[in-house]
Amino acid sequence: MKTFLSCVFLLLAYYAAAQPMTATHLLCEYLSNPIGIGENIPRLSWWDESQEKGTTQTAYQILVASSLGRLEKNTGDLWDSGKVATSETSLISYQGKPLTSRQTAFWKVRVWDERGRRSQFSTPAKWEEGLLSGSDWKAQWIGMPNLDLSKPDPSPYARTEFNAAKHILKARIYASALGVYDLYLNGKRVDDVKFNPGFTDYDHRVLYQTFDVTDLVKEGRNTVGIILGDGWYAGHVGGWDRQQYGKQPMGLVQMELEYSDHSRQIIASSSRWKVSPGPIISSDFMRGEVYDARKELPNWCANGYEDQTWANAMARPVDDIVPVASCSEPVRQWDTCRVKRISEPQTGVYVADLGQNMVGYARLKVQGSAGQTVKLRFAEMLNPDGTIYTANLRTATSTDTYTLKGGGIEIYEPSFTFHGFRYVEITGYPGKPTPDSLTGIVVGSATPNAGSFSCSNSMVNQLYHNIYWGQRSNYLSIPTDCPQRDERLGWMGDAEVFVRTATYNSQVGAFMTKWLNDVQDGQSPKGDFGDVSPRVHFFGTAPGAPAWGDAGVIVPFTIYEVYNDKRILARHYEAMKRWVEYVHGVTNGLLWEKVAGNDYSDWLNINEETPHDVVATAYFAHSTDLLARSASILGKIDEARKYKDLYGQIRQAFNTAFVTPDGRVKGDTQTAYLLVLEFNLIPEEMRPLAAKHLVEDIVTKRNTHLATGFLGAGFLNLVLSETGNNDLAYRLLLTETYPSWMYPIKNGATTIWERWDGWTKEKGFQTPVMNSFNHYSLGAVGRWLYADVGGIDLLPGSPGYKKFVIRPRPGKGLSWAKTSYDSIHGPIKSDWKAVGNNLFVDVEIPANTSAVVYIPASSSKAVTEAGVSALRAKNVSFLRMEKGAATFEVGSGSYRFESDRVTENP
């Protein structure tokens, strides 16, 4: 009997081990089961998963069906790809029957591995098309009639009732606003999204969202309603006047019912809808929200509500700018912050400390008499006397005002404003507030988490925390520069210096797809990109600035590299080319010396100004190089050759004008050397000389401190590690004196500061003209934490982490680091730990991928994998010794390497 059971267990174990890979984590256009997309040729992605080492996909079959029932019967009536021999799993273009507006497509995939084993079909996924044609829109824009447009007005509430006469099979609402909106059906919020439809250049593009309301609508009488706010359209944008795009908010609602007999009914916003002001007296992203609970409209979106006194909506047709489908994650609440302590620096003035600089608003809990008013003011820092520091907000008053209706406990959350803050000043509160009286509601674009980093040093962990929170704070519909003062714009330079770090922290493929449309919308007829995107009217036609305008080339190329997204290159290639040609046209002998717009150069450097022509020409060369590579990727052979030649000519002109024979670069600054080394602008034999000058500047001139601004900060440690100065990179990381990454942390920072000297013990606060304490740019060092400390990085020429690098570079001050990253092909992990004279490195490689793994060691013989010689281990092949590291090619699976832990680059 024991023998029989043993055989059964062995057989089961054999079959369990022999299971082929499976397809999981199905996505359409970077999104999980998206609804209302605007792509009629969407792209599909999945992860391959396997318990075995060294597995690769050799083929796939995708089925796409018009119903779940057909899909369950393995009938792909929309598309059956057949068996396609390829290892590709990401962004596979749909090639089936033409898709139409509103169409739902159900899909699944199965894969074959390297042994010819076929998997089961994956769990089904789906996507749904939105309104693909302007003629699909029957709704009209509606708003409040007879407003005084010279001042902020109450938020309009709009409603209509309708009768659903039959059994409902499917119900959708397509909604948008010139401004922002909240959508209701039968008295309930349709979703929990904030600030729809998002920030765009409304002169060129307006987004809409699609909602599945099948479960909210009922047979018989129903009521649909919308509340509007000024938002970016009619409110303040930046520190300038209101109404940058339009005079008043307007909404667009189109509800479509499909009955069980497949007949359809459309309920569309029009002048027949009723509108009224409500309790939101005014709302503005910069100023805050004023709410009078006594003016609430109970049951305003319920059947039978008495709206006879409401006005008929002002209406206008959808004509000049037809809304297009949103293509990225919306803004949602993603965390809460509890009050840590409450002080009373002045009588009756309370200050709540949430312990974390955050973006969102405060949920107020209060009880008092009708007419009592509570004011909440928001700030990032405190004055020495304990009052809130608001000088750096400039004209952003950032104040929410709530007037009580009385009669019990009241809960208030603003609808159409957000603030950047850690501290909340509370005045007018009935009695004394407690920590339970206030909760910080944290909001931001709901980009899924991608990476994680932790190490043995608590201050470095806080730095990573600050980088992460800075991104989540400022990735709100667009990549803003800061969330607190009267600005909050999509600054191009900030976005491009941080984008690579951003891809590690979060899945930003969809987010950047949306924003790059804003970038292209803002390109002028001359070819220059704006300083900010969306390009607000205030900036007018100022020519594009070096490094800032170059975001229009650098960001799409980065998204291509990280996600193997060729379409993003194809869609923005002509815009990228126009930028390079624009710059070419304003150069003098290929040197960009004049006509550089606002020319921010190495913004906010520390007393080490890099010559502007060096910065501008370096970025001109870099963008030209990326354009040439993009042309080659897209099969534009002649243009690839043209721009490769141009890049070579710019490089030669740069060296002739700015580089001496001993490798010294004009300006002799840290950023000057970082640009020439990172952008490969000098001959290979001169790289050690330039690196030597860089080290001299840091160590000798700056007493081992950094001096870079926005442009150099993200490259500093990367270049040091790459040029054999890893020890110095670690010393800079761990330096606690000013200026450094650790100085703000030592002084209580919970996000990245805009300036190295935002606050110092000697001088206090820097100028309030420009001093944000939540600003991600200098957090671009996060890329180095992931790529060099953790070791996870792209392999040049292999986009999308199909084949990638794991190269941890341990350094003095850290005894271990754990790093993970969810690539578009699956999760990657790299954990290292130094114990005595030994180094242990654990790596995890996703199925259907491989990695080049570098293990610091004296020789290949000093490295073992799982106790067995790495040279004999399955799926591990020794390649070479390189700069103090044994290099291996490793197939998928989990591995442990052990070495004698010599210092890399001795």
Side-chain angles (χ1 to χ4, degrees):
M1 186 65 177
K2 288 183 179 179
T3 302
F4 172 74
L5 290 175
S6 297
C7 290
V8 171
F9 289 142
L10 286 171
L11 188 62
L12 290 174
Y14 169 79
Y15 279 114
Q19 287 298 310
M21 68 174 64
T22 57
T24 67
H25 199 71
L26 275 62
L27 300 176
C28 174
E29 290 298 326
Y30 295 109
L31 305 172
S32 177
N33 297 321
I35 178 174
I37 67 171
E39 298 288 346
N40 58 3
I41 305 179
R43 299 166 303 164
L44 310 176
S45 306
W46 62 90
W47 288 355
D48 286 331
E49 293 187 1
S50 174
Q51 299 301 311
E52 300 179 11
K53 291 186 176 183
T55 55
T56 57
Q57 176 190 294
T58 57
Y60 69 72
Q61 181 184 12
I62 298 172
L63 295 182
V64 184
S66 58
S67 71
L68 186 58
R70 286 189 174 93
L71 191 69
E72 289 173 343
K73 294 178 182 178
N74 294 337
T75 300
D77 60 319
L78 293 178
W79 182 35
D80 182 345
S81 71
K83 184 178 179 181
V84 180
T86 180
S87 65
E88 292 301 318
T89 64
S90 63
L91 302 174
I92 308 295
S93 293
Y94 170 81
Q95 297 175 40
K97 294 179 181 178
L99 299 171
T100 58
S101 294
R102 310 171 183 85
Q103 185 162 11
T104 302
F106 300 86
W107 73 285
K108 60 185 179 181
V109 59
R110 62 182 175 186
V111 296
W112 284 259
D113 68 11
E114 76 287 352
R115 292 163 59 184
R117 295 175 298 178
R118 186 185 68 191
S119 74
Q120 298 294 318
F121 274 110
S122 65
T123 300
K126 65 179 180 179
W127 79 84
E128 184 176 314
E129 297 292 325
L131 304 182
L132 302 179
S133 169
S135 62
D136 288 322
W137 285 99
K138 309 305 178 187
Q140 295 179 301
W141 295 105
I142 59 170
M144 183 75 72
N146 304 317
L147 288 179
D148 181 357
L149 300 179
S150 65
K151 63 180 182 63
D153 282 288
S155 286
Y157 285 54
R159 68 185 302 275
T160 194
E161 294 187 19
F162 64 93
N163 190 56
K166 309 171 189 176
H167 177 69
I168 298 162
L169 183 66
K170 184 171 78 171
R172 299 289 186 265
I173 295 181
Y174 306 94
S176 183
L178 302 173
V180 287
Y181 71 89
D182 285 345
L183 192 64
Y184 288 78
L185 181 59
N186 293 329
K188 295 181 180 180
R189 273 285 301 272
V190 165
D191 67 0
D192 60 354
V193 172
K194 303 295 296 184
F195 315 137
N196 268 336
F199 188 12
T200 56
D201 181 342
Y202 296 92
D203 294 335
H204 292 89
R205 189 181 304 266
V206 182
L207 303 178
Y208 74 87
Q209 286 74 36
T210 305
F211 305 95
D212 181 350
V213 293
T214 308
D215 293 338
L216 292 178
V217 71
K218 58 190 178 183
E219 191 172 343
R221 204 69 180 159
N222 294 267
T223 302
V224 61
I226 189 171
I227 308 174
L228 302 174
D230 286 356
W232 295 279
Y233 179 77
H236 287 85
V237 176
W240 307 287
D241 292 338
R242 296 171 58 242
Q243 303 169 337
Q244 287 280 311
Y245 297 101
K247 297 298 184 181
Q248 68 177 95
M250 302 191 78
L252 187 72
V253 181
Q254 184 161 307
M255 184 172 183
E256 300 191 0
L257 307 180
E258 182 180 348
Y259 295 114
S260 55
D261 63 1
H262 299 296
S263 62
R264 295 173 63 238
Q265 179 182 358
I266 295 179
I267 299 93
S269 52
S270 69
S271 60
R272 292 189 296 273
W273 283 42
K274 295 289 189 174
V275 294
S276 172
I280 304 174
I281 306 304
S282 64
S283 66
D284 188 273
F285 286 146
M286 310 296 165
R287 301 296 193 257
E289 185 169 288
V290 178
Y291 189 97
D292 189 341
R294 298 170 299 177
K295 297 181 180 292
E296 287 180 343
L297 306 168
N299 301 317
W300 71 276
C301 196
N303 298 329
Y305 180 81
E306 298 291 335
D307 62 6
Q308 290 86 348
T309 60
W310 289 32
N312 283 89
M314 176 185 69
R316 75 179 202 213
V318 174
D319 44 24
D320 50 343
I321 300 180
V322 177
V324 296
S326 179
C327 62
S328 65
E329 299 87 355
V331 176
R332 297 185 188 274
Q333 175 183 332
W334 65 272
D335 207 346
T336 59
C337 290
R338 300 290 178 179
V339 173
K340 305 299 182 184
R341 63 191 65 85
I342 294 181
S343 61
E344 190 178 6
Q346 297 173 349
T347 303
V349 177
Y350 301 94
V351 174
D353 178 5
L354 283 85
Q356 170 65 51
N357 200 352
M358 54 161 282
V359 170
Y361 44 84
R363 177 191 294 145
L364 176 67
K365 181 179 179 182
V366 64
Q367 185 172 2
S369 303
Q372 288 184 290
T373 297
V374 180
K375 284 192 176 183
L376 307 177
R377 298 173 64 215
F378 299 84
E380 297 181 289
M381 301 286 275
L382 297 179
N383 292 308
D385 64 358
T387 59
I388 60 173
Y389 173 73
T390 59
N392 69 321
L393 304 184
R394 302 190 302 210
T395 63
T397 52
S398 292
T399 303
D400 292 343
T401 304
Y402 179 74
T403 300
L404 282 70
K405 59 186 173 185
I409 295 176
E410 302 178 41
I411 306 293
Y412 166 65
E413 291 184 22
S415 297
F416 301 130
T417 194
F418 68 90
H419 313 283
F421 65 100
R422 171 176 172 171
Y423 302 96
V424 185
E425 179 195 87
I426 309 168
T427 56
Y429 193 90
K432 186 174 183 178
T434 69
D436 187 49
S437 303
L438 208 70
T439 303
I441 307 300
V442 188
V443 303
S445 287
T447 53
N449 289 341
S452 67
F453 175 88
S454 62
C455 68
S456 57
N457 186 298
S458 60
M459 289 186 70
V460 177
N461 290 337
Q462 185 65 46
L463 172 63
Y464 171 74
H465 168 98
N466 293 3
I467 293 168
Y468 175 82
W469 273 77
Q471 177 175 335
R472 294 304 299 260
S473 298
N474 283 291
Y475 273 32
L476 194 156
S477 185
I478 63 168
T480 64
D481 62 322
C482 62
Q484 71 297 101
R485 67 176 177 237
D486 56 353
E487 198 162 338
R488 313 183 198 185
L489 299 171
W491 281 93
M492 298 271 280
D494 308 42
E496 69 93 352
V497 300
F498 189 78
V499 63
R500 187 65 181 90
T501 299
T503 64
Y504 278 118
N505 287 332
S506 300
Q507 304 289 0
V508 297
F511 180 87
M512 283 300 176
T513 296
K514 181 268 178 191
W515 185 66
L516 285 170
N517 289 332
D518 300 326
V519 171
Q520 189 161 319
D521 287 345
Q523 189 173 32
S524 81
K526 296 180 297 182
D528 62 305
F529 292 110
D531 293 350
V532 299
S533 296
R535 195 168 187 168
V536 297
H537 293 173
F538 174 84
F539 280 86
T541 57
W548 271 246
D550 290 285
V553 176
I554 294 169
V555 175
F557 194 84
T558 301
I559 299 304
Y560 157 73
E561 285 193 304
V562 171
Y563 302 109
N564 194 21
D565 190 342
K566 292 183 181 179
R567 193 184 69 187
I568 212 156
L569 284 185
R571 289 190 172 177
H572 297 285
Y573 176 80
E574 290 300 322
M576 296 160 68
K577 186 169 72 173
R578 286 196 298 273
W579 166 257
V580 168
E581 292 294 352
Y582 162 75
V583 177
H584 191 187
V586 298
T587 58
N588 178 22
L590 297 180
L591 303 179
W592 195 0
E593 299 172 325
K594 299 179 180 178
V595 195
N598 290 312
D599 203 355
Y600 306 98
S601 197
D602 188 26
W603 189 241
L604 298 183
N605 63 83
I606 300 296
N607 300 319
E608 193 176 77
E609 187 73 18
T610 304
H612 288 215
D613 53 356
V614 171
V615 170
T617 307
Y619 269 91
F620 173 36
H622 184 50
S623 284
T624 304
D625 179 31
L626 296 184
L627 180 63
R629 291 156 66 184
S630 300
S632 179
I633 292 161
L634 296 174
K636 300 176 183 292
I637 305 305
D638 291 342
E639 293 196 350
R641 186 180 301 111
K642 170 186 174 181
Y643 289 111
K644 183 178 180 180
D645 290 345
L646 178 59
Y647 166 66
Q649 294 165 20
I650 302 167
R651 195 170 182 262
Q652 182 176 349
F654 184 97
N655 279 269
T656 300
F658 302 136
V659 184
T660 62
D662 66 349
R664 199 169 294 278
V665 181
K666 178 182 176 181
D668 198 26
T669 67
Q670 292 176 21
T671 294
Y673 293 113
L674 292 170
L675 294 180
V676 300
L677 290 166
E678 178 67 17
F679 294 166
N680 192 29
L681 295 180
I682 55 175
E684 186 67 25
E685 64 273 14
M686 295 182 69
R687 290 181 66 84
L689 296 173
K692 178 175 176 288
H693 297 316
L694 170 64
V695 171
E696 287 174 349
D697 185 281
I698 295 169
V699 175
T700 305
K701 290 171 58 178
R702 300 289 168 181
N703 191 26
T704 315
H705 284 81
L706 52 79
T708 63
F710 278 24
L711 301 186
F715 297 147
L716 181 55
N717 286 21
L718 286 167
V719 168
L720 287 173
S721 290
E722 191 276 330
T723 57
N725 297 286
N726 196 52
D727 57 339
L728 181 54
Y730 272 82
R731 286 161 62 191
L732 284 177
L733 172 73
L734 298 173
T735 295
E736 296 182 10
T737 52
Y738 166 83
S740 68
W741 283 287
M742 294 302 164
Y743 184 78
I745 292 170
K746 194 174 180 180
N747 289 283
T750 60
T751 45
I752 298 295
W753 292 356
E754 179 178 21
R755 324 177 64 113
W756 302 113
D757 59 350
W759 180 91
T760 62
K761 289 183 178 180
E762 294 74 20
K763 297 182 180 180
F765 292 111
Q766 243 286 1
T767 170
V769 172
M770 187 183 62
N771 195 17
S772 161
F773 293 95
N774 191 351
H775 202 115
Y776 55 66
S777 297
L778 298 179
V781 69
R783 176 185 174 187
W784 178 76
L785 293 178
Y786 278 105
D788 285 282
V789 179
I792 300 173
D793 202 1
L794 288 161
L795 181 70
S798 182
Y801 290 90
K802 190 68 167 63
K803 185 175 183 179
F804 53 92
V805 170
I806 292 185
R807 185 173 195 161
R809 285 179 157 124
K812 190 176 294 185
L814 299 186
S815 61
W816 60 265
K818 295 179 180 292
T819 312
S820 70
Y821 172 64
D822 287 348
S823 75
I824 198 167
H825 283 100
I828 303 168
K829 292 184 179 179
S830 171
D831 300 345
W832 61 262
K833 185 176 183 179
V835 181
N837 294 323
N838 293 323
L839 177 69
F840 299 90
V841 182
D842 292 301
V843 302
E844 185 174 311
I845 317 296
N848 196 39
T849 70
S850 63
V852 179
V853 178
Y854 296 77
I855 304 297
S858 59
S859 70
S860 63
K861 294 180 180 179
V863 180
T864 61
E865 187 272 315
V868 181
S869 169
L871 297 176
R872 297 195 303 270
K874 181 184 178 183
N875 308 310
V876 178
S877 303
F878 174 69
L879 297 177
R880 60 189 173 275
M881 287 298 299
E882 181 179 313
K883 296 181 179 179
T887 309
F888 304 88
E889 183 161 347
V890 182
S892 66
S894 298
Y895 307 86
R896 164 166 282 199
F897 293 88
E898 180 182 350
S899 81
D900 60 356
R901 196 197 171 202
V902 298
T903 302
E904 189 180 0
N905 301 338

